[in-house]
Amino acid sequence: MNIQWYPGHMTKAKRAMKEDIKLIDLVIELVDARVPLGSRNPDIDELAKNKGRIILLNKSDLADERYNEKWTAWFQEKGFHVIKVNARSGMGLKQIQPLVQEACREKIERDRKRGILNRPVRTMVVGIPNVGKSTFINSFAGKACTKTGNKPGVTKGNQWIRLNKTLELLDTPGILWPRFEDQEVGLKLAFIGSINDEIIDKEELAAELLKFLIKHYGRNLNERYGIETEDPYEALREVAQARSCLLKGNELDTKKAANLLLDDFRSGKLGRITLEFPEAPGEK
Ligand code: G4P
């Protein structure tokens, strides 16, 4: 299966983000806990050079808890501050504030030496489409905060949301596009719905997902659809059978089954599943 990625407004968005990043002290980067590396754009490390960094493993409620822990440790080992969160429910968001102080310790210290006290840390949220940026901003900022209005130098339309005395957040997130050389990563992003899947053959995509699930999460498939086969296309027919996806004349509607499977996976009905695994210590 060949996945193409057409980054419509990529250059424009990157330019806007470069401007916004000049105004901030700290980048809060959202990644999808189910595909923590594939859902990043590696340009962020260059763009956010010299800034405080926090990585949020978002949608951690949909990812396998064993791997949430492993990925947290993996990013920590690389020197990032990391928290697993659920932007939708608000789980984990309380831990962010104390981490901000830690991630910006150098800046706060620099300010203090210059006699600048209590200048709020300015931050922005970045991530690929659909990773949960807007949901996060809404949950994190909540209702209690105030918008401080446009200020000189701020990209038109952007506003600072004052979260409290020590933290201000840009209300518009920075959009990054996933960058994958590897079709395998492309597939995983398609499974989670981060790639416009109108351009993708759903049955083929579902069969690829089934192939992965048969290998790593066979129990989940068995529990939900009674699947026992190891053949992905046969498994898709079993999904159709189990969920009564039928065409006229009782023929199996595998297209409908493909959509159903993808929806079940994306909404967590198939259980908590991680698609990308960190390398074990010593491995590349
Ligand atoms: P974006 O700004 O990065 O593009 O993403 P956005 O916030 O629009 O979120 C994309 C989808 O992901 C939304 O679902 C949102 O509710 C969901 N989402 C965000 N964070 C989490 C999370 O931590 N866990 C889970 N399970 N879902 C999350 P949607 O179906 O597009 O919209 P809606 O049905 O929630 O309105």
Side-chain angles (χ1 to χ4, degrees):
M1 166 165 241
N2 190 23
I3 293 179
Q4 298 289 344
W5 182 249
Y6 301 103
H9 306 299
M10 199 163 108
T11 321
K12 204 172 147 210
K14 194 169 161 187
R15 209 181 304 134
M17 200 160 108
K18 260 189 177 160
E19 286 306 306
D20 288 344
I21 263 180
K22 286 185 195 156
L23 309 170
I24 57 145
D25 309 298
L26 170 81
V27 172
I28 299 182
E29 180 187 358
L30 265 71
V31 303
D32 190 302
R34 294 165 297 175
V35 194
L37 289 184
S39 62
R40 299 187 73 202
N41 178 319
D43 291 345
I44 187 66
D45 288 332
E46 181 57 31
L47 281 166
K49 207 167 52 185
N50 305 325
K51 304 288 175 185
R53 303 286 297 277
I54 291 180
I55 288 189
L56 302 181
L57 286 175
N58 192 38
K59 307 201 185 185
S60 61
D61 55 307
L62 298 175
D64 190 333
E65 189 55 21
R66 290 173 299 165
Y67 290 105
N68 285 342
E69 295 302 322
K70 288 195 169 136
W71 277 115
T72 303
W74 190 92
F75 280 111
Q76 276 167 344
E77 203 181 289
K78 304 273 183 263
F80 292 101
H81 297 279
V82 196
I83 311 174
K84 59 173 182 187
V85 297
N86 173 349
R88 210 185 231 171
S89 74
M91 192 278 292
L93 302 192
K94 279 210 183 90
Q95 295 169 53
I96 296 175
Q97 182 77 35
L99 215 59
V100 166
Q101 303 302 316
E102 213 178 302
C104 291
R105 202 166 22 207
E106 279 177 29
K107 173 220 166 277
I108 294 166
E109 188 54 24
R110 240 183 358 251
D111 277 0
R112 203 185 55 81
K113 279 191 185 144
R114 288 195 206 138
I116 307 168
L117 292 177
N118 304 325
R119 185 164 73 84
V121 168
R122 289 189 154 179
T123 184
M124 79 183 283
V125 173
V126 306
I128 67 167
N130 206 40
V131 74
K133 297 179 296 299
S134 313
T135 311
F136 170 76
I137 291 174
N138 285 334
S139 305
F140 190 53
K143 295 186 194 81
C145 60
T146 49
K147 289 197 174 180
T148 59
N150 282 322
K151 288 193 178 157
V154 178
T155 313
K156 202 163 166 260
N158 282 356
Q159 291 201 311
W160 294 104
I161 303 170
R162 172 162 293 189
L163 293 153
N164 54 48
K165 268 193 245 150
T166 60
L167 189 59
E168 290 186 356
L169 173 70
L170 211 51
D171 72 347
T172 313
I175 304 172
L176 294 163
W177 270 264
R179 199 177 77 194
F180 50 88
E181 277 87 37
D182 180 344
Q183 286 291 306
E184 209 74 7
V185 176
L187 267 177
K188 289 174 181 175
L189 293 171
F191 297 159
I192 63 170
S194 276
I195 290 179
N196 179 1
D197 61 10
E198 272 153 35
I199 56 167
I200 296 169
D201 181 311
K202 289 285 186 56
E203 284 175 79
E204 232 183 292
L205 187 64
E208 291 287 351
L209 177 59
L210 284 163
K211 194 162 127 193
F212 176 89
L213 296 175
I214 287 167
K215 189 163 172 204
H216 300 283
Y217 289 94
R219 219 165 106 194
N220 301 50
L221 285 178
N222 186 270
E223 276 168 15
R224 185 144 182 96
Y225 312 112
I227 289 175
E228 284 187 359
T229 177
E230 296 203 344
D231 176 86
Y233 283 95
E234 182 51 33
L236 188 57
R237 282 190 288 277
E238 288 183 16
V239 174
Q241 196 106 51
R243 307 312 296 271
S244 308
C245 303
L246 299 171
L247 295 164
K248 270 189 211 142
N250 274 354
E251 210 182 307
L252 293 174
D253 187 347
T254 44
K255 197 165 178 194
K256 191 170 170 194
N259 281 311
L260 197 138
L261 173 87
L262 289 164
D263 285 349
D264 277 0
F265 166 71
R266 289 171 186 170
S267 63
K269 291 197 185 98
L270 255 178
R272 298 178 63 174
I273 290 166
T274 296
L275 299 168
E276 189 176 50
F277 309 122
E279 74 246 21
E283 276 180 53
K284 169 63 197 87

